[in-house]
């Protein structure tokens, strides 16, 4: 059949600096006039170029007469939803999302049609929190705004329509920022029904007739299990697991220097009377680890119990840029990774000394991936705070990391070199004072092993001697072999026992 190309009509914005300094929107044309050949300059409007965008997806109405299409700018700062005419490939703008830092993904790309086939629903962070909205497919009258179907200072993590298309099924944190529950909401808006009221994390779905919920539920010290209609179906851990008194880890709020309250899990030994402490830094950057569910960092959860047995107080914080706390928390690291997120760890270390009698000369830090990166920044730029650190599979130079992740936060190395330089630990290695352990899998396809190789060479050139490196020839970013996991954590334990005791 005939191919018709869609035209989105989006034009590249004028760069303010070029517009002011070079009159970027005009070209000068010189024409010779008169006998003396006097030069006359005429300004002509420069044709704006098409905006560089990507297409996220095409979504059809149930009656297949209409469609919406989601587009995003490759500079990560804009996202649009267009009404799309399948007969002509014509588009019409319905929704515009902009963020001076970066538009959240995933989340803002979830959109679809309501059962009337004339109304579009979508998610947006426009209030600072991810919430649900609707807009007529025909578009908004002048001055009108999209209708908010939910409001509040909490997050919607997932949304779908029920099988009968009469309700939304929402996974949200409205009960508590430290929980996730499944709610049912009429498509017209109104009161939400909590389908999973038990405290914890719920990954749940409703049956097609809407009468039964299948729910994978977990709690702080209880791994995920499947429940159907409230009845437990599975028992996953080995019997020995129940023989240990796993801690229902308390959640505290650590005061930061800018007045923010930073959520944290605190592992405090029984009969604590002061001593050494370890701060754990979760990875992924945009991830939540302070909650009332079973942690994705379950190895670390168990390791922290071992540390408590050895007399360490352990703190695990949801530093700035962690998921679950709204747009401002998410984008606080824009153009500076290792800035406010590192400050949160430094403020946590100070809080431990003033409020929990931790010895300020015996504080360690460790983490993997983004946690490894923060560990390096801590050891290099705040060397008097941490006596020892273990950086696992760490990013050492963000210009070498994948574009899809890093360009959201730091733009591009060519366009924003200062952001990359001040955010990359390799440029601050001369600050190392305490003892550093680096562990990295050789076949890591996420944070490449070259990151550690380059940093090792830099430490050699700086004549540093207070560091060790362990390489794991069989391992990718997340280890697989039990012997590798055991070796890595034995080394971390030895580091802390040697340097903090």
């Amino acid at each position: 059949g005939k191919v018709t190309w869609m035209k989105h009509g989006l034009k590249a914005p004028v760069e303010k600096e070029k517009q002011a300094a070079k009159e970027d929107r005009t070209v000068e044309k010189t024409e010779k006039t008169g006998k003396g050949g006097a030069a006359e300059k005429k300004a002509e409007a420069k044709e704006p170029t098409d905006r560089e965008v990507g297409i996220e997806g095409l979504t059809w109405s149930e009656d297949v007469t209409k469609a919406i299409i989601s587009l995003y700018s490759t500079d990560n700062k804009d996202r649009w939803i267009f009404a799309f005419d399948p007969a002509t490939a014509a588009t019409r703008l319905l929704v515009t999302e902009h963020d001076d830092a970066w538009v959240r993904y995933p989340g803002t790309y979830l959109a679809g049609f309501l059962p009337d086939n004339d109304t579009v629903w979508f998610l947006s962070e426009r209030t600072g929190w991810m919430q649900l909205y609707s807009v007529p497919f025909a578009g908004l009258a002048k001055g009108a705004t999209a209708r908010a179907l939910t409001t509040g200072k909490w997050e919607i993590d997932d949304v779908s329509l029920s099988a009968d298309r009469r309700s939304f099924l929402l996974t949200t944190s409205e009960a508590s920022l430290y929980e996730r529950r499944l709610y049912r909401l009429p498509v017209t808006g109104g009161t939400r029904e909590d389908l999973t009221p038990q405290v914890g994390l719920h990954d749940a779905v409703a049956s097609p007739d809407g009468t039964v919920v299948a729910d994978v539920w977990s709690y702080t010290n209880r791994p995920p299990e499947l429940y159907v209609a409230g009845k437990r179906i599975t028992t996953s851990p080995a019997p020995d697991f129940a023989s240990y008194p796993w801690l229902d880890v308390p959640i505290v709020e650590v005061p930061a220097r800018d007045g923010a309250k930073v959520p944290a899990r605190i592992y405090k030994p029984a009969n604590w009377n002061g001593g050494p402490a370890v701060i754990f830094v979760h990875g992924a950057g945009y991830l939540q680890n302070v909650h009332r569910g079973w942690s994705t960092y379950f190895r670390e959860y168990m390791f922290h119990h071992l540390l408590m047995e050895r007399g360490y107080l352990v703190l695990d914080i949801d530093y700035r840029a962690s998921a679950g706390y709204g747009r401002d928390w998410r984008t606080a690291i824009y153009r500076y990774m290792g800035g406010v997120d590192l400050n949160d760890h430094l403020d946590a270390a100070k809080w431990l000394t003033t409020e929990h009698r931790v010895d300020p000369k015996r504080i360690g830090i460790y983490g993997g991936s983004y946690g490894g990166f923060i560990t390096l920044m801590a050891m290099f730029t705040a060397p008097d705070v941490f006596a020892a650190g273990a950086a696992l599979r760490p990013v050492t130079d963000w210009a070498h990391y994948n574009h899809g992740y890093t360009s959201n936060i730091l733009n591009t190395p060519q366009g924003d070199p200062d952001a990359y330089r001040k955010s990359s630990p390799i440029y601050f290695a001369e600050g190392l004072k305490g003892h550093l352990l680096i562990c990295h899998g050789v076949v890591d396809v996420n944070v490449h092993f070259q990151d550690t190789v380059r940093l090792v060479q830099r430490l050699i050139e700086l004549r540093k001697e207070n560091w060790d490196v362990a390489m794991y020839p069989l391992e990718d970013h997340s280890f697989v072999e039990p012997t590798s996991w055991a070796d890595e954590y034995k080394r971390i334990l030895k580091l802390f026992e040697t340097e903090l005791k």
Side-chain angles (χ1 to χ4, degrees):
K2 181 182 178 183
V3 174
T4 304
W5 291 100
M6 180 197 79
K7 294 183 179 179
H8 55 69
L10 298 167
K11 300 299 180 182
V14 179
E15 297 181 56
K16 293 180 181 178
E17 312 84 56
K18 290 184 178 180
Q19 184 182 30
K22 301 181 181 179
E23 297 181 323
D24 192 50
R25 290 184 61 86
T26 63
V27 293
E28 291 184 347
K29 184 177 180 181
T30 302
E31 295 181 353
K32 300 284 186 177
T33 58
K35 290 183 180 180
E40 181 182 293
K41 293 182 178 180
K42 293 182 179 180
E44 293 182 349
K46 184 179 179 181
E47 191 68 26
T49 59
D50 284 344
R51 186 85 181 268
E52 188 175 344
V53 301
I55 297 175
E56 180 61 25
L58 184 71
T59 303
W60 294 89
S61 61
E62 189 73 9
D63 62 6
V64 204
T65 62
K66 305 178 182 71
I68 55 172
I69 189 165
S70 295
L71 280 74
Y72 60 91
S73 63
T74 54
D75 67 3
N76 310 305
K77 302 186 188 308
D78 294 283
R79 177 248 179 168
W80 307 269
I81 299 176
F82 284 90
F84 179 71
D85 182 350
T88 64
T91 59
R92 177 171 41 82
L93 187 60
L94 283 180
V95 177
T96 298
E97 296 291 320
H98 174 80
D99 197 304
D100 287 342
W102 72 94
V103 176
R104 175 177 161 183
Y105 176 86
T108 49
Y109 294 94
L110 290 172
F113 282 89
L114 292 185
D116 62 7
N117 294 305
D118 286 320
T119 307
V120 174
W121 63 265
F122 65 97
L123 291 182
S124 171
E125 251 187 344
R126 57 187 57 188
T127 64
W129 298 84
M130 189 66 80
Q131 297 292 327
L132 180 63
Y133 297 83
S134 68
V135 61
F137 182 80
L140 295 167
K142 188 174 182 180
T145 58
R147 181 189 175 205
L149 298 176
T150 62
T151 59
K153 292 185 177 182
W154 43 268
E155 303 269 79
I156 294 178
D157 280 4
D158 192 29
V159 56
S160 62
L161 283 174
S162 61
D164 62 10
R165 298 179 62 79
R166 295 179 180 178
S167 305
F168 287 106
L169 294 171
L170 308 172
T171 301
T172 84
S173 62
E174 61 185 284
S176 166
L177 295 184
Y178 308 126
E179 297 184 51
R180 295 298 183 276
R181 300 188 190 180
L182 182 68
Y183 294 83
R184 181 163 30 223
L185 170 72
V187 293
T188 54
T191 303
R192 289 176 293 280
E193 177 188 2
D194 188 349
L195 302 178
T196 53
Q198 190 172 9
V199 174
L201 293 189
H202 297 266
D203 184 2
V205 295
S207 61
D209 64 5
T211 62
V212 177
V213 171
D215 180 17
V216 176
W217 172 83
S218 73
Y219 188 67
T220 311
N221 55 0
R222 297 180 64 178
E225 301 290 358
L226 174 63
Y227 294 76
V228 177
K231 181 181 179 181
R232 183 171 174 172
I233 304 299
T234 61
T235 300
S236 299
D240 286 350
F241 181 84
S243 66
Y244 187 89
W246 302 106
L247 182 66
D248 181 1
V249 188
I251 293 176
V252 296
E253 292 184 336
V254 178
R257 64 190 67 183
D258 61 359
K261 301 295 184 181
V262 182
R265 293 188 184 202
I266 187 167
Y267 301 75
K268 198 169 185 177
N271 303 315
W272 172 259
N273 193 32
V278 170
I279 295 179
F280 168 65
V281 190
H282 72 68
Y286 195 60
L287 174 146
Q288 184 175 3
N289 198 43
V290 177
H291 51 67
R292 289 296 184 198
W294 184 249
S295 176
T296 52
Y297 289 91
F298 55 88
R299 297 177 188 87
E300 289 75 12
Y301 170 78
M302 294 186 283
F303 182 59
H304 296 162
H305 284 75
L306 187 153
L307 289 174
M308 280 198 303
E309 291 178 357
R310 301 290 184 101
Y312 297 87
L313 186 152
V314 183
L315 196 69
D316 165 13
I317 75 172
D318 269 348
Y319 51 89
R320 239 67 68 94
S322 296
Y325 305 99
R327 182 265 171 193
D328 291 347
W329 201 270
R330 173 179 68 82
T331 61
I333 58 169
Y334 180 57
R335 298 193 66 239
Y336 191 7
M337 300 156 87
V340 67
D341 48 355
L342 175 59
N343 287 343
D344 287 344
H345 290 89
L346 302 180
D347 294 341
K350 181 179 180 181
W351 178 77
L352 289 176
T353 65
T354 58
E355 299 296 324
H356 294 277
R357 303 185 64 186
V358 165
D359 184 342
K361 297 187 181 301
R362 293 193 289 157
I363 302 176
I365 186 169
Y366 87 103
S369 196
Y370 198 95
F373 151 72
I374 286 290
T375 297
L376 292 178
M377 291 294 274
M379 296 297 290
F380 295 166
T381 67
D384 295 321
V385 176
F386 299 103
L392 321 175
R393 50 199 178 276
V395 175
T396 65
D397 188 343
W398 287 108
H400 288 234
Y401 194 61
N402 82 68
H403 176 78
Y405 175 86
T406 315
S407 63
N408 274 334
I409 306 167
L410 301 181
N411 301 310
T412 64
Q414 299 87 348
D416 202 349
D418 290 343
Y420 279 78
R421 186 174 183 88
K422 68 184 180 183
S423 301
S424 297
I426 198 166
Y427 297 109
F428 305 100
E430 67 276 5
L432 178 64
K433 289 184 180 179
H435 202 100
L436 173 65
L437 168 67
I438 306 170
C439 299
H440 209 143
V442 176
V443 290
D444 191 333
V445 298
N446 185 341
V447 180
H448 295 172
F449 187 59
Q450 70 173 16
D451 264 48
T452 285
V453 173
R454 292 179 68 233
L455 179 60
V456 164
Q457 179 59 31
R458 181 68 183 136
L459 293 171
I460 292 170
E461 292 169 357
L462 290 167
R463 300 181 184 274
K464 298 290 185 180
E465 298 178 0
N466 49 331
W467 57 274
D468 296 287
V469 63
M471 55 182 279
Y472 297 85
L474 300 182
E475 300 297 353
D476 195 346
H477 196 58
S478 181
F479 290 3
V480 174
E481 296 294 328
T483 50
S484 299
W485 282 115
D487 182 89
E488 181 176 59
Y489 277 84
K490 285 178 182 178
R491 291 177 187 273
I492 298 169
L493 180 61
K494 182 180 179 180
L495 171 72
F496 292 152
E497 290 282 85
T498 303
E499 301 298 326
L500 305 183
K501 285 291 186 73

